[in-house]
Amino acid sequence: MFGLWYNADMLKEFKIETDREGIYNITDTVRLAISESGIGEGIAVIFCAHTTAGITINENADPDVIHDLLLGLEKAFPDRKEFKHAEGNSSAHLKTSCVGASETVIITKGKLILGTWQGIYFCEFDGPRTRKFTVKVIEG
Ligand code: ZN
């Protein structure tokens, strides 16, 4: 599922193969990137450089939450005949702006500060595609 490269700038890029629509838990991948960085105190920025896919933090306990997020976003941002965007994927652009392109998490003692029920998710709204996201670890 993932490929990556690593350089001295504490920057890692990951590839992810997606379905037409989906929300993928990438928390363990982000944890691995932080662990390999060797940084004890700082922040990590998880960024998605796409306009129809994003990053969010939400519940990791009940998988039905992911189902309901996708359902709710579809209800909130359905395809509309009034849309002008020629590519025909304005609904995916709207959903992406709603969830956002990045999340920032705090690292302390080499570990992410996340709530018990929180996970970090890559959100696909216009797949299937080979996507990528970037993790930047900043010491401080
Ligand atoms: Zn488009």
Side-chain angles (χ1 to χ4, degrees):
M1 180 174 174
F2 295 104
L4 65 92
W5 75 78
Y6 181 69
N7 65 32
D9 297 327
M10 298 300 172
L11 185 74
K12 289 190 176 190
E13 190 171 78
F14 298 88
K15 285 187 181 170
I16 180 169
E17 302 289 337
T18 64
D19 295 320
R20 192 191 71 75
E21 204 170 56
I23 297 181
Y24 303 90
N25 191 333
I26 59 170
T27 311
D28 287 345
T29 302
V30 175
R31 283 197 170 108
L32 181 64
I34 290 164
S35 171
E36 289 180 6
S37 78
I39 286 177
E41 303 295 324
I43 59 170
V45 178
I46 304 99
F47 178 75
C48 173
H50 300 288
T51 60
T52 54
I55 304 289
T56 194
I57 292 176
N58 215 298
E59 178 167 330
N60 64 9
D62 180 0
D64 285 343
V65 171
I66 298 307
H67 169 273
D68 293 352
L69 280 173
L70 287 169
L71 182 68
L73 286 166
E74 184 59 35
K75 295 285 185 188
F77 305 110
D79 194 25
R80 293 178 178 274
K81 65 180 186 320
E82 298 93 338
F83 287 153
K84 291 184 172 181
H85 179 43
E87 195 180 10
N89 61 354
S90 288
S91 174
H93 288 292
L94 287 166
K95 292 171 187 173
T96 300
S97 278
C98 180
V99 302
S102 68
E103 291 285 355
T104 304
V105 290
I106 299 168
I107 303 163
T108 189
K109 297 182 174 63
K111 299 193 181 311
L112 290 176
I113 294 181
L114 279 177
T116 303
W117 310 116
Q118 287 184 315
I120 305 167
Y121 291 90
F122 183 96
C123 308
E124 173 64 77
F125 299 118
D126 193 29
R129 300 186 195 223
T130 300
R131 300 287 205 175
K132 59 187 179 181
F133 62 93
T134 305
V135 178
K136 172 78 174 181
V137 183
I138 303 165
E139 192 166 25

